[in-house]
Amino acid sequence: MLKLDEVYSNQAVEAFGFALRLALRKDEDYASLIELENAETPEDFSEVVKKFLRRYESNARKYEKESGKGAFRPTENHLDDLMKLAQENTRLVRAALISHALVKSTKEKEEGE
């Protein structure tokens, strides 16, 4: 059984939560947030992550082209770990991702944003 602290502090959840935060704040990707909130099964969750990554990659490439800087991307290991967690408890992983996306990051606090 997954424990809350294990899920919320998981690197995969943190990486995907950060990516979702960027997508929401920079690209106003509210579709991913809504789709994620409605993912009830591991299969639904998997489909939502696929759609999110497709949109995210498009926006990341656009950002890189315009800024000349590299964009953050979750890794394959993050994806594998996220899906393992979602298989065990989709609702908990979904809640953790959304929570990470909606909080202010430590870096933002340090910069006073």
Side-chain angles (χ1 to χ4, degrees):
M1 182 172 177
L2 292 175
K3 293 183 179 180
L4 282 175
D5 63 329
E6 292 173 345
V7 174
Y8 277 79
S9 64
N10 182 280
Q11 287 185 354
V13 171
E14 289 177 350
F16 271 87
F18 179 71
L20 182 59
R21 181 184 312 142
L22 291 174
L24 289 170
R25 293 185 183 173
K26 296 189 184 296
D27 303 316
E28 298 182 2
D29 181 10
Y30 297 104
S32 291
L33 182 63
I34 300 299
E35 290 172 352
L36 188 57
E37 287 180 342
N38 292 317
E40 296 291 331
T41 66
E43 293 78 12
D44 292 342
F45 185 83
S46 175
E47 186 68 23
V48 167
V49 169
K50 177 195 79 171
K51 289 178 183 180
F52 167 69
L53 286 172
R54 187 175 56 221
R55 283 190 288 264
Y56 188 80
E57 180 63 21
S58 175
N59 288 323
R61 287 177 189 243
K62 181 180 174 185
Y63 168 79
E64 289 173 339
K65 186 176 181 181
E66 291 173 356
S67 72
K69 299 177 184 176
F72 172 81
R73 288 177 177 85
T75 67
E76 288 179 358
N77 288 339
H78 290 142
L79 179 61
D80 293 342
D81 291 345
L82 186 70
M83 290 304 139
K84 286 176 189 171
L85 291 172
Q87 183 67 39
E88 197 167 333
N89 191 328
T90 302
R91 291 181 64 210
L92 181 55
V93 174
R94 181 184 68 196
L97 281 177
I98 292 170
S99 296
H100 274 288
L102 296 177
V103 296
K104 191 174 195 176
S105 74
T106 303
K107 184 178 177 183
E108 289 172 324
K109 290 178 187 175
E110 291 169 358
E111 294 174 356
E113 294 179 9

